[in-house]
Amino acid sequence: MSKGILMVVSGPSGCGKGTVLAEIVKSDNIFYSVSATTRSPRPGETDGINYHFLTKDKFEEMIDDEGMLEYASYCGNYYGTPLKPVEDMLEKGCHVILEIEVQGAMKIKEKCPDAVFIFILPPSLKELRRRLEKRGTESAEVIEKRLGEAAGEIAHAYKYDYAVVNGDLSKAVNDIKSIIRAEELKTAKIKNTINEVLENA
Amino acid sequence: MSKGILMVVSGPSGCGKGTVLAEIVKSDNIFYSVSATTRSPRPGETDGINYHFLTKDKFEEMIDDEGMLEYASYCGNYYGTPLKPVEDMLEKGCHVILEIEVQGAMKIKEKCPDAVFIFILPPSLKELRRRLEKRGTESAEVIEKRLGEAAGEIAHAYKYDYAVVNGDLSKAVNDIKSIIRAEELKTAKIKNTINEVLENA
């Protein structure tokens, strides 16, 4: 059996990547990688679902043991991707989706050259503004800040293997499914299939 | 507008690549590259549809002018791929499918590193034998020869970017459509899209 594919997905806040990926992980063999953090759970958050909630000691022990695929600290807390569950899934032939910001993605690119990097784009910055304003949860000032950050992130999109515009949800979902299927069909990944055809004479 | 994608497709006789590609070229923006040959048209063959039928002088003139993407001679006749129609289609943003045997494909790989190489596999050599026997047009001896050639060609499949098993026609067609869509979404091909998102602020 072939190993699964590690897919690293980034996109600016408001591009709708959460909604797109929620559709993608409905497939049987695709799993979402749950991050680890040392921050406290918020009301309604469940350990192992929203995050793996770890103590600072445990997190630092995992860093020392090379048990984190990548990590960063933010506002005094660690956030990272535990390596073992990702490796276990890939070994079983399942695909793993890792939703992460640009800097984390670039760290993974160095460590995992076989991973597939997908950037999700909003149709335009104008539409991104409209979506952020529609949420109604952020001040005009914060929205300006988010738009500036978004433009900065989008400028890195060319470092990814693929870019998918999320204008229409079902189109974006189908685009990502096409990417996954195409990656499954790469000859580098299916040497077994080629050998099986030849053996079954 | 982005340039189209040149897709080079190979597969052993009996793998059903003709049937698969006939479905693919039903899409609006995908064209089949018509080969040129110096052999005489057979009854029912139309110039420009089955082949571009050329004189030996014209064909050799095109070789000298670097007007052939690749060519080979077989049983005293030339067969080749005229470059200009392929280039014109790609410039217009259309995709071009070139169905060609392994050696021709490898020549194109040297000249066109951006082309996408797809190998179509039968489900097994056993199934390939069954299909060749079912046709009923070839002797047992010829079938053995074809199977030997097929095994030799399949051994080159790993040199292609993608391999698609044609067991079920609609699955194989969808697999190739996924490959085309994924290739369209590669960031190397959509710098324009990324810039448009940023410009429309």
Side-chain angles (χ1 to χ4, degrees):
Chain A
M1 194 186 51
S2 299
K3 264 189 76 169
I5 298 164
L6 175 59
M7 278 168 290
V8 180
V9 181
S10 305
S13 177
C15 76
K17 59 185 179 303
T19 317
V20 173
L21 296 181
E23 289 298 314
I24 296 293
V25 296
K26 285 182 183 164
S27 301
D28 283 345
N29 65 332
I30 305 181
F31 292 86
Y32 194 90
S33 162
V34 177
S35 299
T37 183
T38 56
R39 80 153 165 76
S40 305
R42 291 178 191 148
E45 285 185 338
T46 310
D47 184 45
I49 303 280
N50 305 92
Y51 280 99
H52 296 289
F53 293 101
L54 304 180
T55 62
K56 200 177 169 212
D57 283 352
K58 175 66 186 164
F59 201 110
E60 291 180 342
E61 190 189 307
M62 286 178 74
I63 295 172
D64 292 342
D65 294 345
E66 300 190 344
M68 289 289 173
L69 184 51
E70 58 74 45
Y71 71 94
S73 86
Y74 179 73
C75 296
N77 284 306
Y78 285 120
Y79 292 81
T81 306
L83 180 60
K84 190 155 185 333
V86 172
E87 278 187 335
D88 287 350
M89 284 295 180
L90 296 177
E91 281 301 327
K92 282 183 191 160
C94 296
H95 305 320
V96 177
I97 292 187
L98 223 157
E99 187 190 330
I100 195 172
E101 34 57 71
V102 175
Q103 281 165 319
M106 292 304 112
K107 284 184 199 169
I108 293 171
K109 202 169 185 178
E110 285 170 28
K111 279 196 183 178
C112 309
D114 287 347
V116 174
F117 292 79
I118 303 173
F119 198 95
I120 301 190
L121 292 162
S124 66
L125 286 182
K126 199 173 171 181
E127 169 62 15
L128 190 64
R129 175 190 295 274
R130 204 190 59 78
R131 290 185 193 173
L132 291 171
E133 284 170 355
K134 201 180 157 201
R135 280 187 189 173
T137 54
E138 281 144 342
S139 66
E141 200 184 342
V142 171
I143 288 175
E144 287 311 313
K145 190 170 160 256
R146 289 259 181 283
L147 284 169
E149 286 166 353
E153 288 173 55
I154 292 168
H156 291 279
Y158 72 94
K159 294 178 184 170
Y160 288 66
D161 299 310
Y162 302 96
V164 171
V165 174
N166 182 23
D168 175 276
L169 177 64
S170 68
K171 272 190 195 169
V173 168
N174 283 331
D175 280 352
I176 291 182
K177 286 183 179 172
S178 291
I179 291 169
I180 295 169
R181 186 64 186 137
E183 289 287 332
E184 288 175 341
L185 294 168
K186 282 200 169 166
T187 49
K189 293 224 170 64
I190 58 164
K191 286 216 175 107
N192 293 345
T193 308
I194 298 172
N195 290 336
E196 277 164 25
V197 170
L198 286 172
E199 276 158 20
N200 196 351
Chain B
M1 193 187 50
S2 299
K3 264 189 75 168
I5 298 164
L6 176 59
M7 278 168 290
V8 180
V9 181
S10 305
S13 177
C15 76
K17 60 185 179 302
T19 317
V20 173
L21 297 180
E23 289 299 313
I24 296 292
V25 295
K26 285 181 183 166
S27 300
D28 283 345
N29 65 331
I30 305 182
F31 292 85
Y32 193 92
S33 162
V34 177
S35 299
T37 182
T38 56
R39 80 154 165 75
S40 306
R42 291 177 190 149
E45 286 185 338
T46 310
D47 185 45
I49 303 280
N50 305 92
Y51 280 98
H52 296 290
F53 293 100
L54 304 180
T55 62
K56 199 178 170 213
D57 283 352
K58 177 65 186 164
F59 202 110
E60 290 180 342
E61 191 188 308
M62 286 177 74
I63 295 172
D64 292 342
D65 295 346
E66 301 190 344
M68 290 289 173
L69 184 50
E70 57 74 44
Y71 70 95
S73 86
Y74 178 73
C75 295
N77 284 305
Y78 285 120
Y79 293 82
T81 306
L83 180 60
K84 190 154 185 336
V86 172
E87 278 186 335
D88 288 350
M89 283 293 180
L90 296 177
E91 281 301 327
K92 281 183 193 161
C94 296
H95 305 322
V96 177
I97 292 188
L98 223 156
E99 186 190 330
I100 195 172
E101 33 59 70
V102 175
Q103 280 164 318
M106 292 304 112
K107 283 184 199 170
I108 292 170
K109 202 169 186 181
E110 285 171 28
K111 280 196 182 177
C112 308
D114 287 347
V116 175
F117 293 79
I118 303 172
F119 197 94
I120 300 190
L121 292 162
S124 65
L125 286 182
K126 199 174 171 181
E127 169 62 15
L128 190 63
R129 175 191 294 276
R130 203 190 61 76
R131 290 185 193 172
L132 291 172
E133 284 170 355
K134 201 179 157 200
R135 278 187 191 173
T137 54
E138 282 144 342
S139 66
E141 200 184 342
V142 171
I143 287 174
E144 287 311 314
K145 190 169 161 258
R146 290 258 181 282
L147 285 170
E149 286 167 354
E153 287 173 55
I154 292 169
H156 290 279
Y158 72 94
K159 294 178 183 170
Y160 288 66
D161 298 310
Y162 301 97
V164 171
V165 174
N166 181 23
D168 175 274
L169 176 64
S170 68
K171 272 190 195 169
V173 168
N174 283 332
D175 279 352
I176 291 182
K177 285 182 179 171
S178 290
I179 291 169
I180 295 169
R181 186 64 186 137
E183 288 288 332
E184 287 174 342
L185 295 168
K186 282 200 169 167
T187 48
K189 293 225 169 64
I190 57 164
K191 286 216 175 107
N192 293 345
T193 309
I194 298 172
N195 289 336
E196 277 164 25
V197 170
L198 286 172
E199 277 158 20
N200 196 351

